[in-house]
């Protein structure tokens, strides 16, 4: 029994170590990807430029990506390291009544697009978060945003999916593992937030 317990503990420890190492390796891959780093900076500049013109940020995603969108919206509304003016940001999955009402009346594919149609205006920013890049409701939101002259940024996995060619700028995390991609999306969001806050503080 003792040997079995030790074996189980070793296996669990190995799994934990492998998960953390995989996350670190992905972050190192992002650091080594000059093109991706350039695109992250471009996304941050795009958001900063829009905010200086009193634009708003909308964020859309499903499941874990919805949680990421809500976290980033909260950070934009609050503050991180620097005291600054409020940044108007809305996570489109956060309003359960709106999501379920639109889903019931028009279909789940429309839950984000209808909100973009209702609230967004030219010059605003839509941040679309989708691991696969193929979430239909996220894609429809992107297409609606583009029709309204709303700038679009996507956070995706390696391939970028259908969203990649529909947005103004796509940040494709170089991985196919869902959990690692979602972890990286939080990192990219925080990095962009810090850039934007620093830029607003210099104004």
């Amino acid at each position: 029994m003792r040997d079995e317990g030790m074996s189980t503990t070793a296996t669990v420890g190995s799994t934990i170590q492998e998960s953390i190492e995989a996350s670190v390796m992905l972050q190192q891959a992002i650091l080594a990807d000059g093109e991706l780093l350039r695109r992250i900076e471009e996304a941050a500049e795009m958001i900063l430029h829009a905010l200086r013109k009193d634009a708003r940020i909308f964020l859309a995603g499903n499941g874990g990506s919805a949680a990421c969108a809500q976290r980033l919206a909260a950070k934009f509304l609050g503050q991180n390291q620097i005291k600054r003016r409020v940044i108007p940001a809305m996570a489109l999955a956060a309003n359960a009544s709106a999501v379920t009402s639109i889903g019931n009346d028009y279909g789940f594919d429309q839950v984000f697009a209808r909100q973009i149609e209702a609230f967004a205006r030219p010059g605003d920013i839509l941040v679309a978060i989708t691991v696969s890049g193929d979430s239909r409701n996220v894609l429809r939101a992107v297409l609606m945003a583009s029709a309204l002259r709303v700038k679009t940024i996507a956070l995706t996995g390696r391939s970028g999916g259908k969203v990649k060619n529909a947005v103004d700028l796509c940040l494709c995390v170089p991985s196919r593992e869902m959990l690692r991609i979602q972890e990286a999306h939080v990192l990219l969001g925080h990095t962009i937030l810090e850039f934007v806050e620093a830029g607003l503080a210099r104004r």
Side-chain angles (χ1 to χ4, degrees), residues 28-44 154 158 164 168-174 188 192:
Q28 290 174 334
I30 292 171
L31 274 174
D33 189 334
E35 175 61 19
L36 178 54
L37 292 178
R38 185 192 65 77
R39 285 174 171 266
I40 295 170
E41 183 175 2
E42 186 178 347
R158 183 186 297 274
K164 180 179 180 179
D168 295 306
L169 183 63
C170 190
L171 308 182
C172 303
V173 172
L188 266 57
I192 290 170

Side-chain angles (χ1 to χ4, degrees), residues 18-32 174 180:
E18 288 173 0
S19 294
I20 295 172
E21 286 176 347
S23 186
V24 171
M25 287 176 64
L26 178 55
Q27 292 181 38
Q28 290 174 334
I30 292 171
L31 274 174
R180 303 289 83 82

Side-chain angles (χ1 to χ4, degrees), residues 8 10 23 29 53 62 64 66 68 84 92 101 114 116 120 135 143 158-159 167 170 183 199:
T8 300
S23 186
K53 294 188 174 183
N62 296 297
C68 180
R84 38 78 176 170
L92 299 180
S101 175
R114 292 282 293 185
I116 289 294
S135 299
L143 296 176
R158 183 186 297 274
S159 73
V167 294
C170 190
E183 290 165 1

Side-chain angles (χ1 to χ4, degrees), residues 43-124:
E45 289 278 12
M46 185 187 298
I47 291 173
L48 181 58
H49 179 74
L51 291 174
R52 284 174 170 162
K53 294 188 174 183
D54 296 321
R56 297 164 297 179
I57 304 171
F58 298 92
L59 302 99
N62 296 297
S65 296
C68 180
Q70 196 165 346
R71 175 183 178 82
L72 294 177
K75 287 294 185 181
F76 277 113
L77 284 167
Q79 69 180 50
N80 185 37
Q81 302 293 335
I82 302 172
K83 287 188 177 181
R84 38 78 176 170
R85 68 177 177 86
V86 66
I87 296 174
M90 178 189 297
L92 299 180
N95 187 336
S97 296
V99 168
T100 53
S101 175
I102 296 168
N104 184 65
D105 294 341
Y106 297 95
F108 191 65
D109 289 0
Q110 295 292 335
V111 295
F112 301 138
R114 292 282 293 185
Q115 293 184 75
I116 289 294
E117 185 177 7
F119 301 120
R121 63 193 180 200
D124 286 342

Side-chain angles (χ1 to χ4, degrees), residues 116-167:
I116 289 294
E117 185 177 7
F119 301 120
R121 63 193 180 200
D124 286 342
I125 300 278
L126 169 64
V127 179
I129 309 174
T130 163
V131 170
S132 67
D134 291 324
S135 299
R136 287 185 294 180
N137 55 6
V138 174
L139 179 59
R140 285 183 178 272
V142 166
L143 296 176
M144 176 61 71
S146 297
L148 297 174
R149 291 185 289 126
V150 170
K151 295 291 185 180
T152 52
I153 300 169
L155 307 182
T156 72
R158 183 186 297 274
S159 73
K162 295 176 182 177
V163 165
K164 180 179 180 179
N165 294 322
V167 294

